[in-house]
Amino acid sequence: MFVMKNGTSQHPPVQLPDGVMDAAVHFPYVLALQNQSVHIYSILDQQLKQTVPVHNARSLVPTEESVFIVTDKEIQRLSPVPLEDQIHELVNRQRVEEALTLLERLQHLLPRDSYKDLHKNLICTSGMIKFYREAFVEAKELFIKGDLDPREIISLYPAMPVLSEDFTPQTTAVSNAKDLWTLSRNDWPTFQQYLSFLDDFLREVKPTAQGQTCLQDIDSALFKLYLEQGENEKLDQLVSTQNNCNLQMCVADLEQHKRFFTLGLLYQSQGQHFNAIQTWIKIVEDESEDPSNTSVFQHIVKTLSNLEHKQIIWKFVDWVLRRDQEAGILIFTKTNAGNHNTFVPEEVFTILNSYPVALTLYLEYLVNESHSKEEKHHTMLITSYVKRILRSLADDHNNESSTEEMRHKLQQLLWQSSFYNADQIYDQIASSSLHVEQAISLGKNGKHKKALQVLVNEEKDQQAAECYCWRTSAGRDKKFTQTIFLTLLQIYLESSHHVIAAVDLLNKNPESFDLSSVLMVLPESWSLKVVLRFLCESLRGTVHDKRMRGLEMSLAKVETLRHRHALMAATHEKIQVDRGCVCHSCQKRLTGAEFLRRPTGELTHITCHNGESSH
C-alpha cells in the first residue's frame, strides 16, 4: 500500500504473490522479488505487467534510473523502456486506454510540446480504433477532442475528394483498420453506417478551430456525400446557405446528376444570381428535367423579390410577367424591408403598362397596403378597374362573377377614397352602363341630385338610391340628411311610375325627413290615408325631439342654478384681510381694496390673476 505524507492513499493496494523476498518501487512500477523471478506491477492499475526470470536472487536495490537485482553470483540491472516506446507498444497491442493513463501520470517526464503531440496522437489513435470497431459516437468525440484534421477521415472514404494540395495523411496505422472501398462493395449496410458517421462528424467539426482550416474540403465532402446518397433536403440546405464548396467540381457533378434546381441554389449562394435564375428558367421551360423541385417558378419570383440587383431584375421580370402576371407582381410588392434598392412606382409603371392585370395588382398594393395618398395612384387604379369591367362587359363569354367582384371593388374604392379625380373618372364612364359608379363620382363633386337621378331613372334601382342617401349622409348633420332624402323624394314625385317608391321611402325613413318640407312638396291629390303612417311616425318623432329638447333645457337650468348657488355661497362668505395677507401668486401684500379669491380660498391681485390667465 502506498501512503502519502498526510496519511492518505491515492491508489488501491497492489496484491503481491506469496513468498515475496524483497520489493522495490520505480515509479510507476513496483517490483516484487521471489526466489526464481521478479514480478513487475503497475501502480496505476495494480496489474502484473511483466515477469523476469532470475536464479538465486537475494535482494532488489532501486536507483533513480534502474533497479539492481543481487544474486548469489552476480548483480543484474533492470532498466525501464523509454516512455515513448512503452506507449507505442501499448498502442500496437490496441491497449490505448492504458497508454493514455500511463502518459497522463508521467507527463512531467516529457517536454510540454512532446507531451501535447503525443497525447493528441494517442487520442486520435484511440478514435481510429473505435472507428473501425464501429463505436462511432466515441470515435467522433475522440477525434474532436484530439483536434484530428478532418481530411484524415475524408481521405479514408472512396470517391471523397481532398482538395488541399498540401495535405498528406499522417494518422497512425491501427491493426484493426478496414478498407472502406472493399467494405462498400461487399457490405453495403455497414458502409452506410460509416457514411452516416462521416456526415455527423463533418457537421460537428466544421465550426471548430480545426474545421475552419479546411472548410472547402468539409463542404465539398458533404456535398459529395449528400449527392451520392440522394439526400436532397440536406443537399439543398447545404448549397443554399453560405458554403465553401468547390464550384467547378460541384457544377459538373450536379449537371451529371441532372440536379439543376440545386445547381441554381449553388450559384445563388456563390453570389452568381444571374446564372442561378437562368438555370431555373431552363427547368421551367422544360429544357431540363429536374424531379427535385416542383415549384421552381415560385422560387424564381421569391429570389427576384429579395434581390438587390436591379439590372438582374429588369433582365428577367418580363419573362416572369409573361408566364404569370399575378405571381410576377410579387417581385415589386413582397420585397424585404431592408432592401435599399426598392423600385419607385414610376419605374414599375414603365414595365407594367403592357401587363394590365399586374398593373392593377400593383396599384392595389400602393393604395391598400402602402396607403398612398397620391391622386395619380388612386385615379389609375379606378381607371384600371373601369377598363377591365368594360372589356369584360363587351365580351360575350365574360365571367359574370368575376365582373361583379371587380365592380364591388371599384364601388368600394369610389366611396372610400378621397384622392382620385372624380371628373376624370366620370368622363370615362358617362356613356357606359356603370350607373352606380357614375352616381358615386357625381356625389364626390356634390352633384347629389344628378347622382340620384342616374340611380332612379337609368339604373332603376330604388334600393341603390336609398343606400346612396344613407351612405352620403353618414357623419353629416341632420339638416344635410333631410335635404338629400327630400331630393330623392322630389325625384320620385316627378314621375307617376314612382309613387309607390315615394310612399315606401317616406314610411321607411320618417326620421330622415323634415315634416314641414315634405308637406310642401306632396301632391294635393294624395289622400291622408296614403301618408298616414308617415305622418304618425313623423309626429311621434317630432314630439319625442321636442320633449328631449325640453329635458335638455331643464338639465341645463339645473346646472346653471348649481353654479349660481356656488357663486352666491362664495360671495356671501366673510373674507378678512389684514396687513399680514399676501398675494398667493407674487407673495406681496394686499394693500388695495380690490382683489380676487380663488375657489380654493387663495387671494391674489387682479393683475397677477390676469397675467396667469394670459399665459
Side-chain angles (χ1 to χ4, degrees):
M1 180 177 289
F2 302 91
V3 181
M4 307 296 290
K5 291 180 179 180
N6 59 7
T8 61
S9 176
Q10 293 183 335
H11 302 283
V14 177
Q15 300 294 330
L16 299 179
D18 295 335
V20 174
M21 299 169 55
D22 197 2
V25 175
H26 192 284
F27 192 82
Y29 301 104
V30 58
L31 292 77
L33 176 63
Q34 291 184 306
N35 186 34
Q36 301 296 326
S37 61
V38 175
H39 298 275
I40 303 174
Y41 296 87
S42 171
I43 298 175
L44 304 179
D45 60 6
Q46 300 80 48
Q47 300 298 315
L48 177 65
K49 301 299 180 183
Q50 187 178 1
T51 300
V52 180
V54 294
H55 298 286
N56 300 320
R58 299 301 180 188
S59 64
L60 300 174
V61 180
T63 65
E64 290 185 1
E65 298 180 354
S66 58
V67 176
F68 292 94
I69 304 173
V70 180
T71 67
D72 290 342
K73 296 182 178 181
E74 60 186 0
I75 297 176
Q76 299 179 7
R77 178 184 178 187
L78 288 178
S79 298
V81 175
L83 180 59
E84 289 86 345
D85 295 342
Q86 293 184 53
I87 290 173
H88 288 314
E89 181 62 25
L90 289 171
V91 170
N92 292 336
R93 297 182 183 183
Q94 296 191 26
R95 293 159 61 181
V96 181
E97 288 79 4
E98 190 175 340
L100 277 170
T101 302
L102 179 62
L103 177 63
E104 289 173 358
R105 292 305 305 271
L106 300 183
Q107 59 177 291
H108 62 281
L109 301 178
L110 296 172
R112 182 178 179 82
D113 291 340
S114 298
Y115 164 75
K116 188 176 180 180
D117 293 340
L118 191 56
H119 186 260
K120 288 173 61 175
N121 186 45
L122 270 179
I123 292 176
C124 293
T125 302
S126 177
M128 293 300 295
I129 293 173
K130 299 286 186 182
F131 174 72
Y132 287 116
R133 288 178 183 173
E134 300 170 21
F136 295 120
V137 175
E138 299 175 47
K140 180 178 66 176
E141 293 175 354
L142 290 169
F143 288 152
I144 295 175
K145 182 180 178 181
D147 288 334
L148 179 68
D149 189 332
R151 294 171 292 186
E152 297 282 359
I153 301 300
I154 296 173
S155 64
L156 299 175
Y157 286 78
M160 283 294 171
V162 176
L163 304 174
S164 304
E165 297 179 356
D166 59 343
F167 171 74
T168 303
Q170 296 179 351
T171 52
T172 303
V174 293
S175 59
N176 67 333
K178 300 176 184 177
D179 183 359
L180 296 186
W181 187 86
T182 303
L183 188 68
S184 67
R185 296 173 63 87
N186 300 333
D187 189 354
W188 181 252
T190 302
F191 184 67
Q192 283 276 49
Q193 297 179 32
Y194 278 91
L195 292 177
S196 297
F197 166 80
L198 181 63
D199 180 16
D200 292 341
F201 170 67
L202 292 180
R203 284 192 291 110
E204 193 159 332
V205 79
K206 183 177 178 178
T208 66
Q210 188 66 34
Q212 292 295 306
T213 61
C214 53
L215 286 174
Q216 188 179 57
D217 293 283
I218 292 175
D219 284 344
S220 298
L222 287 171
F223 169 88
K224 201 84 171 180
L225 176 64
Y226 297 151
L227 181 63
E228 297 295 338
Q229 296 302 304
E231 298 189 60
N232 299 334
E233 186 175 345
K234 286 186 176 181
L235 179 61
D236 289 349
Q237 184 179 3
L238 173 67
V239 301
S240 61
T241 55
Q242 184 177 0
N243 64 81
N244 295 272
C245 294
N246 181 275
L247 189 61
Q248 183 178 358
M249 179 197 77
C250 295
V251 169
D253 287 346
L254 289 171
E255 289 177 344
Q256 181 182 353
H257 286 75
K258 295 185 177 182
R259 295 295 309 278
F260 298 104
F261 178 74
T262 305
L263 176 59
L265 293 177
L266 179 62
Y267 278 136
Q268 186 181 18
S269 68
Q270 301 287 337
Q272 299 185 22
H273 302 287
F274 184 87
N275 291 339
I277 297 173
Q278 262 195 335
T279 302
W280 293 327
I281 287 177
K282 291 179 181 178
I283 301 173
V284 176
E285 294 180 343
D286 294 327
E287 294 183 14
S288 306
E289 295 182 2
D290 187 350
S292 62
N293 198 290
T294 58
S295 56
V296 183
F297 181 76
Q298 287 81 358
H299 191 83
I300 293 173
V301 173
K302 182 178 179 181
T303 300
L304 289 172
S305 67
N306 294 326
L307 207 59
E308 295 191 4
H309 302 278
K310 284 188 176 181
Q311 293 181 348
I312 298 178
I313 297 175
W314 286 128
K315 180 72 177 178
F316 295 107
V317 70
D318 262 321
W319 177 86
V320 174
L321 289 169
R322 283 197 300 271
R323 293 193 70 88
D324 189 337
Q325 294 188 44
E326 292 185 8
I329 198 60
L330 298 177
I331 296 172
F332 304 107
T333 61
K334 296 297 181 182
T335 56
N336 285 333
N339 193 334
H340 300 294
N341 290 324
T342 304
F343 291 91
V344 298
E346 298 304 323
E347 291 179 294
V348 181
F349 292 150
T350 58
I351 192 168
L352 295 186
N353 285 329
S354 303
Y355 304 97
V357 175
L359 178 61
T360 301
L361 293 172
Y362 182 66
L363 289 167
E364 286 179 343
Y365 163 76
L366 292 177
V367 172
N368 300 328
E369 296 186 33
S370 296
H371 306 293
S372 171
K373 295 183 179 180
E374 292 192 28
E375 178 187 299
K376 178 180 179 180
H377 299 160
H378 289 252
T379 304
M380 285 182 66
L381 178 56
I382 295 172
T383 301
S384 175
Y385 285 155
V386 169
K387 288 181 178 179
R388 291 181 63 182
I389 292 170
L390 294 178
R391 193 182 304 116
S392 178
L393 292 174
D395 185 3
D396 296 333
H397 305 286
N398 71 84
N399 187 333
E400 292 186 8
S401 62
S402 177
T403 304
E404 286 301 316
E405 181 182 354
M406 185 65 65
R407 286 197 67 179
H408 176 72
K409 292 168 70 174
L410 172 59
Q411 292 172 17
Q412 287 295 103
L413 182 59
L414 288 171
W415 276 118
Q416 295 173 1
S417 174
S418 57
F419 300 105
Y420 62 90
N421 188 325
D423 291 331
Q424 180 180 338
I425 298 302
Y426 179 75
D427 291 341
Q428 294 177 13
I429 59 178
S431 59
S432 70
S433 60
L434 304 180
H435 302 127
V436 175
E437 291 79 358
Q438 293 174 23
I440 302 173
S441 300
L442 290 167
K444 284 292 181 178
N445 285 331
K447 300 176 182 179
H448 301 297
K449 182 175 182 179
K450 189 175 181 180
L452 289 170
Q453 287 173 333
V454 169
L455 292 173
V456 173
N457 300 325
E458 298 184 36
E459 183 66 12
K460 301 185 185 306
D461 189 339
Q462 298 168 8
Q463 184 178 359
E466 188 174 336
C467 288
Y468 176 90
C469 292
W470 280 117
R471 192 152 191 173
T472 304
S473 60
R476 308 290 289 269
D477 57 28
K478 188 173 182 178
K479 183 178 180 180
F480 180 87
T481 303
Q482 292 174 345
T483 301
I484 196 166
F485 271 92
L486 184 64
T487 302
L488 178 58
L489 177 63
Q490 290 174 317
I491 293 172
Y492 282 154
L493 294 176
E494 291 174 356
S495 172
S496 59
H497 300 293
H498 297 141
V499 173
I500 296 177
V503 175
D504 288 342
L505 180 67
L506 289 170
N507 291 336
K508 288 170 61 179
N509 307 281
E511 73 282 357
S512 301
F513 288 95
D514 176 57
L515 180 57
S516 59
S517 300
V518 172
L519 293 175
M520 291 176 64
V521 299
L522 286 180
E524 294 180 359
S525 59
W526 280 27
S527 65
L528 180 61
K529 185 178 180 180
V530 173
V531 293
L532 181 59
R533 179 181 170 187
F534 164 72
L535 292 174
C536 291
E537 293 293 332
S538 183
L539 287 171
R540 183 181 292 112
T542 302
V543 172
H544 174 72
D545 290 342
K546 182 178 180 180
R547 288 174 177 174
M548 288 299 296
R549 286 195 296 272
L551 180 61
E552 291 171 359
M553 187 177 295
S554 297
L555 291 173
K557 288 181 179 179
V558 170
E559 185 68 12
T560 301
L561 289 173
R562 189 178 69 82
H563 285 293
R564 290 182 64 185
H565 177 269
L567 177 62
M568 291 182 67
T571 55
H572 284 73
E573 181 182 348
K574 285 185 177 181
I575 302 174
Q576 183 177 354
V577 181
D578 54 27
R579 294 181 179 179
C581 291
V582 296
C583 174
H584 181 74
S585 298
C586 67
Q587 298 299 314
K588 294 181 179 179
R589 290 184 179 180
L590 296 172
T591 57
E594 295 182 353
F595 55 88
L596 291 177
R597 180 181 183 274
R598 292 179 177 175
T600 52
E602 296 89 356
L603 304 180
T604 63
H605 290 118
I606 295 176
T607 53
C608 291
H609 175 76
N610 292 338
E612 290 178 357
S613 300
S614 63
H615 290 301

